[in-house]
């Protein structure tokens, strides 16, 4: 008997990404993505938000509990901290395009019915979701990408990425003949978990300041 392979067994969003789509069409298509198993337990796809004309793209890890409920990236505690840090660094959060390396919330529960606890996405899930991020980058063509933490770094710069080695610096490369500049920094959630929150927060603001400088 022939077995039917579920699309998520292929671990790629590729078949779900429409050719020649604008951001609205891309977002609509992503809502139905089954490119990896993460869509099963999560509530919805959390696609990027912001204008196709944005000069800056912020890339996080994956939606959290609040993002999964509301369907928008960075609307929970980490997002609130990020908005504050961006404003302090001189960047209007409303002008950035904000997205994540992985578009579904991955979580575990301590017990059935208990609160959902964030679980880091695997390299396989990050790779599967990569076509959505690539399509967003191709449409928005941001002048600068702010890389928020290790997952975004691995998704954009490869598995050898270490945030501590490159945070607060401007990385330059060419992608399909187009120059691309990236400024990595820590993930805002790591600031919330830090022993010295104030110091960690100031570090984030300083890195974002490098991004603002680079934009001119
Ligand atoms: N953390 C992320 O990386 N992204 C979100 O959208 C929210 C929290
Ligand atoms: Fe598709 Fe990404 Fe969701 Fe996996 S995490 S189902 S690849 S949108």
């Amino acid at each position: 008997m022939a077995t039917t392979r579920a699309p998520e067994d292929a671990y790629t969003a590729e078949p779900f990404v429409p050719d020649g789509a604008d951001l609205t069409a891309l977002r609509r298509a992503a809502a139905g993505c089954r490119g990896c198993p993460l869509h099963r337990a999560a509530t919805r796809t959390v696609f990027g938000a912001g204008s196709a004309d944005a000069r800056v793209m912020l890339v996080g890890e994956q939606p959290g509990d609040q993002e999964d409920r509301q369907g928008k990236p960075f609307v929970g505690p980490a997002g609130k901290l990020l908005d504050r840090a961006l404003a302090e660094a001189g960047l209007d959060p409303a002008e950035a395009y904000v997205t994540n390396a992985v578009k579904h919330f991955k979580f575990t529960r301590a017990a059935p019915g208990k609160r959902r606890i964030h679980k880091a996405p695997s390299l396989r899930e990050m790779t599967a979701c990569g076509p959505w991020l690539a399509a967003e980058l191709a449409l928005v063509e941001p002048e600068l990408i702010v890389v928020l933490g290790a997952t975004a770094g691995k998704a954009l710069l490869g598995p050898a990425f270490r945030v501590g080695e490159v945070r607060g610096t401007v990385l330059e490369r060419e992608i399909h003949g187009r120059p691309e500049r990236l400024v990595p920094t820590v993930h805002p959630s790591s600031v919330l978990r830090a022993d010295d929150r104030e110091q960690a927060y100031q570090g984030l603001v300083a890195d974002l300041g490098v991004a603002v400088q680079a934009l001119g």
Side-chain angles (χ1 to χ4, degrees):
M1 197 177 78
T3 52
T4 316
R5 277 168 68 93
E8 55 260 42
D9 290 347
Y11 273 89
T12 176
E14 201 66 68
F16 298 92
V17 182
D19 285 332
D22 64 5
L23 273 180
T24 308
L26 215 55
R27 186 175 292 114
R28 199 177 303 133
C33 185
R34 287 173 290 133
C36 84
L38 291 186
H39 71 92
R40 288 198 219 137
T43 312
R44 55 176 61 82
T45 306
V46 179
F47 203 68
S51 162
D53 299 327
R55 295 178 66 199
V56 185
M57 186 182 286
L58 306 169
V59 183
E61 182 193 63
Q62 63 167 346
D65 179 79
Q66 282 301 317
E67 289 77 15
D68 174 79
R69 291 170 197 268
Q70 298 182 38
K72 291 193 213 99
F74 283 108
V75 290
K80 298 224 158 57
L81 184 133
L82 177 62
D83 281 357
R84 191 154 62 87
L86 286 167
E88 205 164 318
L91 228 158
D92 182 356
E95 280 183 16
Y97 184 92
V98 184
T99 193
N100 286 299
V102 172
K103 266 62 171 173
H104 273 102
F105 177 35
K106 184 178 182 181
F107 60 91
T108 51
R109 291 183 202 267
K114 287 271 188 262
R115 98 189 154 81
R116 305 185 295 177
I117 302 159
H118 163 276
K119 207 171 167 206
S122 68
L123 193 58
R124 211 169 168 211
E125 289 150 355
M126 284 158 50
T127 307
C129 212
W132 292 119
L133 183 58
E136 289 173 296
L137 279 166
L139 276 175
V140 179
E141 293 196 326
E143 285 171 46
L144 194 81
I145 302 166
V146 177
V147 182
L148 298 167
T151 298
K154 288 181 202 305
L156 287 162
L157 293 153
F161 176 85
R162 298 283 176 273
V163 68
E165 291 169 5
V166 284
R167 64 174 296 182
T169 65
V170 185
L171 307 176
E172 305 193 23
R173 65 175 179 187
E174 212 164 276
I175 224 104
H176 309 307
R178 199 177 67 82
E180 193 174 82
R181 290 185 302 162
L182 309 98
V183 175
T185 186
V186 294
H187 193 284
S189 293
S190 75
V191 176
L192 292 170
R193 288 191 308 264
D195 291 330
D196 190 339
R197 261 168 85 154
E198 188 50 33
Q199 191 191 19
Y201 176 74
Q202 290 308 332
L204 173 63
V205 172
D207 292 349
L208 294 173
V210 172
V212 172
Q213 284 254 308
L215 275 168

